[in-house]
Amino acid sequence: MGKKVVIVGGGAAGMSAASRVKKLRPDWNVTVFEATEWVSHAPCGIPYAVGGLTSEDDLMHYPPEFFIKKRGIDLHMKARVVEVEQGSVRVQEEDGEHSYDWDYLILANGASPKVPPIPGRELEGVFTADLPPDAVKMRRYIEDNDVRSAVVIGAGYIGIEMAEAFVERGLRVTLVEARDRVMARVHDPEITDVIEGKLRENLTLLTGELVHSIEGDGRVRKVVTDSGEYPADIVVIATGVRPNTELAEQIGARIGETGAVWTNPRMETSVENVYAAGDVAETVNIITGQRTWIPLAPAGNKMGYVAGVNVAGGSLEFPGVLGTAITKFMDLEIGRTGLTEEEAREAGYDVKTAFIKASTVPHYYPGAREIHLKGVADAETGRLLGVQAVGARVLPRIDTAAAMLQAGFKVKDVFFTDLAYAPPFAPVWDPLVVLARVLKF
């Protein structure tokens, strides 16, 4: 008789795990419980739906019917798991509460916005950018109200992307960051200086300001910081996320040092037959070997795939992450992979760094743009530790650097990598090669 597999969460990791188990064990009963009416969703697309580049309906990779009819997955929508215990889960569904048995449990219930206790955060017109329904709510609010000004609280990835969405809609935008620079956790100052210059061309940027309150008359009207008051017809709080570990704690799964669910390379938790994958789970940094939690979609999908393979009886390990990420603000692309200088020093490396400005194509070819690159290397061994980039044509450099980091390249290896060259695409000395040359080896 086939085993019963219960998966909590129908996002990237959950549906990847469910699909893999069903592929390898078609006779098993695979049940997924998703708290919203969205499945296989793409929260990363929220800012672009709000900005009008795409429709909210397109933020599902596949509709629910695909998983139910094509893949044979027992998918329950609007089904919130309220309790897990050994061998069973209790689920609140539209028609009441039900219990379901399991032989294997996969926790893929993601992360939620970390909202500081700002007075007024409950006012109408104050949002977070968590799941696709938030994009629906924001667009409707903008369309139904006289929204002219927006305040975004937090200048990380989501904050900058939401600020761009509001700029694209023609709103007056204020971006407030409590730290002394934007994206401070993920980029070094040389990179953030360039980012801040672009931001200031398009919006009001406030760094080093702490939000004291959000005020209004039922609807939001302004945001008050320790330095001033700023008009706001809509507010987005983008101050980070936290892993949803409550269910893991109920069943006694170990919570790791990062605050997310501890997993081994097979995505197994400390409880037998219980797995965790995606934004709820921690993993390791490929470079340092230290435990880390980086809630990003590519890793989440692969974690779910690994969990599914192992639940189905296979053997596959997830190697960890580099923290590779990319975003943009208007025509400025921003990317990173591996360790920043600050992260490398905190991990105990004696580092050497280089920061360069280069052109994306030869000077004689039309359309040349600037790209800034920062490289971080181990001064003792010459091993490449991280690359950051800002400007144009960032993606190919960051993706190439990510492959180099995962392969353990030294700076010398980067310099001698046989990268493609033709005037329409790159200069004869590719910016990555120039970076390696300046880093020295």
Side-chain angles (χ1 to χ4, degrees), residues 154-156 175-183 205-209:
L175 179 60
V176 187
E177 169 56 47
R179 292 171 175 248
D180 61 359
R181 57 190 180 90
V182 304
M183 304 191 88
L205 175 63
L206 309 170
T207 56
E209 289 199 29

Side-chain angles (χ1 to χ4, degrees), residues 190-202:
E190 299 96 323
I191 300 294
T192 59
D193 284 348
V194 179
I195 299 169
E196 289 179 6
K198 188 66 175 183
L199 289 168
R200 288 194 170 93
E201 291 175 8
N202 293 272

Side-chain angles (χ1 to χ4, degrees), residues 43-60:
C44 297
I46 291 172
Y48 309 108
V50 173
L53 291 176
T54 187
S55 166
E56 301 90 345
D57 296 334
D58 293 330
L59 298 186
M60 277 196 290

Side-chain angles (χ1 to χ4, degrees), residues 108-435:
N109 51 323
S112 296
K114 188 166 57 177
V115 180
I118 302 170
R121 63 189 181 279
E122 74 288 341
L123 286 171
E124 187 180 355
V126 179
F127 299 91
T128 58
D130 180 26
L131 294 169
D134 295 322
V136 177
K137 293 173 186 175
M138 277 188 259
R139 281 190 63 159
R140 286 178 181 167
Y141 188 83
I142 292 170
E143 290 162 3
D144 294 345
N145 297 279
D146 184 23
V147 174
R148 300 182 184 182
S149 59
V151 172
V152 179
I153 302 171
Y157 288 108
I158 298 299
I160 284 178
E161 290 165 2
M162 287 306 308
E164 179 192 50
F166 291 140
V167 169
E168 293 280 14
R169 292 193 71 106
L171 304 184
R172 296 189 305 273
V173 181
T174 302
L175 179 60
V176 187
E177 169 56 47
R179 292 171 175 248
D180 61 359
R181 57 190 180 90
V182 304
M183 304 191 88
R185 292 179 179 171
V186 290
H187 284 288
D188 288 326
E190 299 96 323
I191 300 294
T192 59
D193 284 348
V194 179
I195 299 169
E196 289 179 6
K198 188 66 175 183
L199 289 168
R200 288 194 170 93
E201 291 175 8
N202 293 272
L203 52 73
T204 300
L205 175 63
L206 309 170
T207 56
E209 289 199 29
L210 190 64
V211 174
H212 281 184
S213 64
I214 301 169
E215 298 182 5
D217 50 6
R219 281 176 50 189
V220 62
R221 298 298 182 188
K222 64 181 177 181
V223 170
V224 180
T225 75
D226 54 3
S227 298
E229 298 183 358
Y230 308 96
D233 300 315
I234 187 170
V235 171
V236 172
I237 300 175
T239 49
V241 295
R242 59 170 184 80
N244 296 322
T245 59
E246 297 82 5
L247 296 179
E249 293 176 54
Q250 281 183 14
I251 203 165
R254 175 182 168 190
I255 304 304
E257 60 193 74
T258 67
V261 180
W262 178 92
T263 60
N264 66 17
R266 290 171 49 86
M267 306 316 301
E268 295 170 316
T269 71
S270 61
V271 178
E272 187 177 7
N273 296 334
V274 178
Y275 294 69
D279 291 357
V280 76
E282 73 173 21
T283 182
V284 296
N285 183 288
I286 290 174
I287 296 173
T288 66
Q290 296 172 355
R291 306 297 293 185
T292 190
W293 179 64
I294 301 178
L296 293 172
N301 273 290
K302 292 168 191 171
M303 286 178 172
Y305 187 97
V306 169
V309 167
N310 292 321
V311 164
S315 182
L316 189 62
E317 292 191 349
F318 184 71
V321 295
L322 292 166
T324 308
I326 190 166
T327 189
K328 75 177 197 70
F329 180 80
M330 311 307 285
D331 63 350
L332 188 75
E333 301 166 17
I334 307 159
R336 63 156 283 168
T337 186
L339 305 178
T340 64
E341 179 180 353
E342 182 179 350
E343 289 168 339
R345 293 190 187 282
E346 287 177 354
Y349 290 97
D350 178 17
V351 303
K352 58 180 179 179
T353 69
F355 179 68
I356 67 162
K357 180 175 72 173
S359 176
T360 56
V361 295
H363 71 277
Y364 56 80
Y365 193 87
R369 296 274 310 281
E370 282 187 355
I371 180 172
H372 296 78
L373 289 170
K374 179 169 182 179
V376 181
D378 183 352
E380 181 180 351
T381 65
R383 181 188 178 188
L384 185 68
L385 298 176
V387 173
Q388 301 163 67
V390 61
R393 298 193 181 181
V394 161
L395 181 67
R397 275 83 197 193
I398 289 299
D399 278 350
T400 302
M404 291 171 167
L405 287 165
Q406 196 146 349
F409 273 33
K410 293 186 178 181
V411 174
K412 182 179 179 179
D413 302 318
V414 178
F415 180 79
F416 284 115
T417 299
D418 190 11
L419 300 178
Y421 157 68
F425 306 107
V428 65
W429 287 91
D430 188 90
L432 266 178
V433 174
V434 175
L435 182 68

